[in-house]
Amino acid sequence: MGKITYATMSADDPALHRAYEEGLAAATSAIGQTHPLLINGEKRYTGETFTERSPIDSDLVVGIYSQASDDDVDEAVAAAAAFQPEWEATPWQERLAIIRRAAEIVDEETPTLAGFLTLEVGKNRLEALGDVSEAVAFIDYYCDRLEESDGMSTAMGQYGVGDTNHSVLRPWGVWAVISPFNFPLALVASPTSAALLTGNTVVLKPSNTGALGSLLLADIYSRAGLPAGALQVVTGGDEAGDRLAHHDHVDGVTFTGSYDVGMYLYRTVATGRPKPVVCEMGGKNPAVVAASADLDLAAEGVMRAAFGLSGQKCSANSRVYVERPAFREFLDLLTEKTDEILLGDPRDRETFLGPVIDGEAVDRFRSAVEAVREAGGEVLSGGEVVTDGDLARGNFVQPTVVTAPEDTWIWEKELFVPFVAVTSVDSLEEGIDKANDTIFGLTAGVFAGTDEEVDLFFQRIQAGVVYANRRAGSTTGAWPDIQPFGGWKGSGTSGAGSGGPWYMRSYVREQARTLIRE
């Protein structure tokens, strides 16, 4: 379909909308099926199941997923371990050809896949199309990096006595991928393709909300020629994920999700023996607005980053610090733009803001609004759960802008709902200090009128992905090969962003090889 990114997608492309609507119709006719586990090529249905309902309409069943038992997880890991030596021995060019073909299929089937994502997660059409296109971009980027590295082998120096020396990057073995609901294709395609390309086999455990995307991608890998032993899929709840992550025969883990779970895995997975634990654990992402900024641009960027995907991006902008001379004007502009957001069924072309994922998210939203009011803050826009009309059957809440005392818990906790808090500061420096005052360090943005102010922000901000003067999203919208996506502090463990030049290094370990010919 050509290159689509979150920054370049246009709501005015008639061909794109026609393709999406055809894909949505195809996806709608295919949802509601019962899905098995995938273990060594076997489709395994279990007695225990999970029924996933669409956040758009609780009457709409997206899928019924078999739930893995301890034995199922053990067998999936055993199948992956048994096949791993053969997969590693497969020439890297052949592994690359299979994974690149998978990207081609994803690209070819973008409209239908996007339709599934709208139904499953509630993404509006441009967000859904972007998720699919990002999955393609991740896979292609990693394929390109493997090709450039000539299979991750580097010639080294010599003693001068007939020796040949190489640094060879080899896979760890069996890799567990535990994926979240919010990007059912992109955040599965990234770790699975990186792991598979480098010769690891993968056991994938997706969130039960979002599992359909993982199953669709697994089917595409299979159609592209991936051997059954290379990828296992075990759907299930927290217990299945915990057993998988801590399995003795799992050699590395990638987890995307909450700080509490990520830190638990980081502390416990490698207690028996050293193994990599790659965690991306969300954020409480700030924007700082200088008095010198273009305030209309700043308000637009904050609005898009706070409310895109209903605030359910780990990069969502949830805190804003505005220099005092600009505070009132910025707040008025942000409130005005928020009031104009169209909340509705994400299947409709005009909709910007769809539902949140489930009832727990609705409850978090209610609690946050109540906390603001109890603390003496002000709800300037939104603040309500939709309880009337067709939207009442889904999980719809209004995009919300608040001011609140900074000791209110809403400034610290990641909410994952369309909710942004704004306050004033006396200087850009104070705004940066408050932006850094968090356990998280994923993304951050600044709006400023001078290069000196931008440079100060970039130098002092403690976050892995930072933006200046970005209308498309103050803290959101990273794209493979453009902005590597990874967090500092409590937002990430690897120090290497996905979609960047160092990400695949997490999936391999170095072996120094010396051959002497006398």
Side-chain angles (χ1 to χ4, degrees), residues 32-34 48-54 58-67 208-209:
Q33 299 180 32
T34 299
E48 183 181 357
T49 60
F50 175 88
T51 299
E52 181 187 24
R53 298 183 180 275
S54 175
S58 60
D59 293 338
L60 197 61
V61 174
V62 174
I64 302 168
Y65 307 119
S66 298
Q67 300 292 278
N208 272 323
T209 49

Side-chain angles (χ1 to χ4, degrees), residues 323-361:
E323 278 198 283
R324 203 170 303 278
F327 178 68
R328 181 48 56 186
E329 183 180 354
F330 171 83
L331 202 56
D332 289 345
L333 286 166
L334 177 60
T335 301
E336 178 183 335
K337 291 178 184 295
T338 304
D339 288 343
E340 293 172 354
I341 290 174
L342 182 58
L343 167 67
D345 189 324
R347 292 171 291 191
D348 296 339
R349 178 171 178 169
E350 297 80 13
T351 296
F352 177 81
L353 189 73
V356 293
I357 192 65
D358 55 23
E360 290 184 7

Side-chain angles (χ1 to χ4, degrees), residues 36-39 66 68 72-73 76-77 80 174-180 183-193 195-196 201-207 210-219 221 226 229-237 240-241 244-245 250 252-256:
L37 314 176
L38 301 175
I39 300 176
S66 298
D72 293 324
V73 172
V77 173
V174 176
W175 203 277
V177 173
I178 302 174
S179 63
F183 286 84
L185 279 182
L187 292 186
V188 177
S190 176
T192 56
S193 60
L196 290 167
T201 52
V202 173
V203 183
L204 168 61
K205 207 296 290 184
S207 168
L212 183 57
S214 289
L215 293 165
L216 293 168
L217 185 61
D219 176 68
Y221 279 132
L226 187 71
L231 176 64
Q232 324 295 321
V233 184
V234 287
T235 44
L244 174 62
V250 164
V253 177
T254 296
F255 166 81
T256 306

Side-chain angles (χ1 to χ4, degrees), residues 82-93:
F83 186 69
Q84 194 278 324
E86 181 178 341
W87 181 239
E88 181 182 0
T90 302
W92 67 264
Q93 295 91 340

